[in-house]
Amino acid sequence: MRYIIIGAGAVGGAIGGRLAEAGHEVALVARGAHYEALRTHGLRLMTSEGTRTHRLPTVDGPAALGELRPDDVLVLAVKTQDSEAALEAWGPAPVAGGGTAAERLPLVCAQNGVESPRIALRRFRRVYGVCVWLPATLVEPGAVSAAGAPLTGILHLGRHPHGTDETARSIAADLEKAHFEAPVVPDVARWQYAKLLGNLANAIEAVSGVLTSEEGLALFARVRAEGEAVLTAADIAYTGEEEQKRVRDNKIRFEPFDGSERGGGSSWQSLDRGTGTIEADYLNGEIVLLGRLHGVPTPLNELLQRLANTFARERRAAGSLPVAELVRLADEAVAFVQEERAPRP
């Protein structure tokens, strides 16, 4: 199978680079300065084993790649806010022998949140969800750091909305040879919702920096509790923390190459690069949506969604809001909702 990585940033670049190292045919899809760097200098992938440069076919869309092959696998690794545009571009792409990518090829959604597989299923017949545990950073155009060791990442994989098949098992086997653990599960959404709860911290990191203070961690506990209450009200199953710990324990350690501390996650990186967009609508915003559908107040996630979008839109510096100020705003948001819901005389 040839793997076409649509969105060869941090996660996509790490997956694509590792697959290429394992001998698989890989094509990268990127845009802007990252696209130019990949085409000119190749993908520079930094792992605990060292830095390697992979000169892989790199395109900015399906037309540049030509007719797709029946054995191609499309790996969607863009941020969820960019999924619709990517799917619109790649869905109609012709496949050798007849038909389109949407009709004939598997689409693997290696993304945060739970919305992209659902968006994809409107266009693609065969959609696979992935729960992505993969510490990776787009260091600069053309350069990706994947600091996990001894495994680069753990990628639970399954059909969306549920089930498994031979394609999932074949993809998982390729990933297993490329420094990943890739369990094939019939209930991948259960893993993705568990990851969603953890990703509710992304907006806190983005606006107030990496979560290291007791204040910040206590705020995240409140935000996560709000998310858990919403999933319970919506009767949505998610993997418990003990089960996750058993699966991940000692398999992925963060091993920075220069002795530095861990940087921010994907949302922090979006602000740091000044992209103008952020994935909060599909992380905290997912909890807000479910809360509104099921009558559960979500003032903390609403606040974080709004702040993250404001920071992205106004291109404010990542981590520039003091944690104490964020906590103050959170307390105000909760108090306002409590007052609104209080019985009136």
Side-chain angles (χ1 to χ4, degrees):
M1 296 185 289
R2 177 176 65 170
Y3 290 89
I4 299 173
I5 311 296
I6 304 171
V11 168
I15 293 174
R18 280 305 206 180
L19 284 169
E21 288 174 4
H24 299 289
E25 192 175 356
V26 174
L28 305 178
V29 184
R31 59 187 180 183
H34 189 47
Y35 163 75
E36 297 295 341
L38 290 172
R39 279 183 61 87
T40 305
H41 305 293
L43 170 65
R44 188 156 53 95
L45 179 63
M46 294 166 273
T47 71
S48 58
E49 300 149 28
T51 299
R52 284 87 61 209
T53 298
H54 303 286
R55 296 192 174 275
L56 303 171
T58 303
V59 299
D60 58 359
L65 199 58
E67 193 173 50
L68 300 179
R69 304 184 333 210
D71 65 345
D72 283 339
V73 175
L74 304 182
V75 179
L76 187 66
V78 300
K79 298 285 176 54
T80 302
Q81 64 266 27
D82 298 320
S83 290
E84 186 64 48
L87 294 167
E88 184 177 359
W90 285 88
V95 178
T100 66
E103 294 167 326
R104 297 188 58 192
L105 300 184
L107 179 82
V108 179
C109 297
Q111 301 160 285
N112 283 336
V114 297
E115 182 63 15
S116 263
R118 186 172 181 272
I119 296 172
L121 208 58
R122 294 178 185 273
R123 298 175 185 272
F124 280 76
R125 290 177 180 170
R126 297 162 62 199
V127 176
Y128 299 79
V130 179
C131 177
V132 180
W133 282 328
L134 199 176
T137 304
L138 179 61
V139 178
E140 61 186 18
V144 170
S145 166
L151 291 175
T152 298
I154 300 176
L155 307 172
H156 283 76
L157 173 70
R159 284 292 295 260
H160 179 80
H162 47 73
T164 64
D165 60 16
E166 191 55 41
T167 298
R169 288 185 283 273
S170 296
I171 294 169
D174 288 348
L175 290 168
E176 295 271 1
K177 296 171 186 174
H179 289 271
F180 296 100
E181 187 171 290
V184 177
V185 294
D187 55 352
V188 68
R190 190 170 68 96
W191 294 89
Q192 290 174 307
Y193 275 103
K195 176 79 183 312
L196 172 66
L197 291 173
N199 284 145
L200 299 180
N202 286 25
I204 303 176
E205 274 195 338
V207 302
S208 293
V210 178
L211 281 173
T212 55
S213 70
E214 289 186 12
E215 261 189 315
L217 291 169
L219 175 59
F220 170 54
R222 295 165 63 192
V223 171
R224 181 187 173 99
E226 201 175 83
E228 290 175 343
V230 163
L231 294 186
T232 298
D235 198 24
I236 293 174
Y238 59 92
T239 311
E241 292 189 66
E242 283 301 315
E243 184 177 358
Q244 293 179 63
K245 184 178 179 181
R246 286 197 301 272
V247 169
R248 288 184 290 178
D249 207 24
N250 296 320
K251 294 179 181 178
I252 304 178
R253 299 185 307 274
F254 179 74
E255 296 189 351
F257 317 121
D258 57 2
S260 62
E261 295 182 358
R262 183 181 74 86
S266 56
S267 298
W268 186 93
Q269 292 176 46
S270 292
L271 291 186
D272 191 51
R273 295 199 305 272
T275 62
T277 66
I278 198 166
E279 58 192 339
D281 285 346
Y282 301 99
L283 300 178
N284 306 90
E286 180 69 26
I287 296 302
V288 171
L289 170 62
L290 289 171
R292 290 170 180 168
L293 289 173
H294 296 278
V296 179
T298 58
L300 297 176
N301 281 281
E302 286 183 38
L303 171 69
L304 290 171
Q305 179 186 8
R306 183 173 68 253
L307 284 174
N309 280 316
T310 299
F311 268 58
R313 185 174 59 252
E314 298 179 358
R315 288 177 166 78
R316 297 189 195 176
S320 58
L321 181 68
V323 173
E325 176 64 10
L326 179 58
V327 171
R328 185 189 67 79
L329 292 172
D331 289 341
E332 286 185 354
V334 171
F336 179 78
V337 169
Q338 289 174 340
E339 184 179 344
E340 269 198 329
R341 293 170 64 87
R344 301 296 179 187

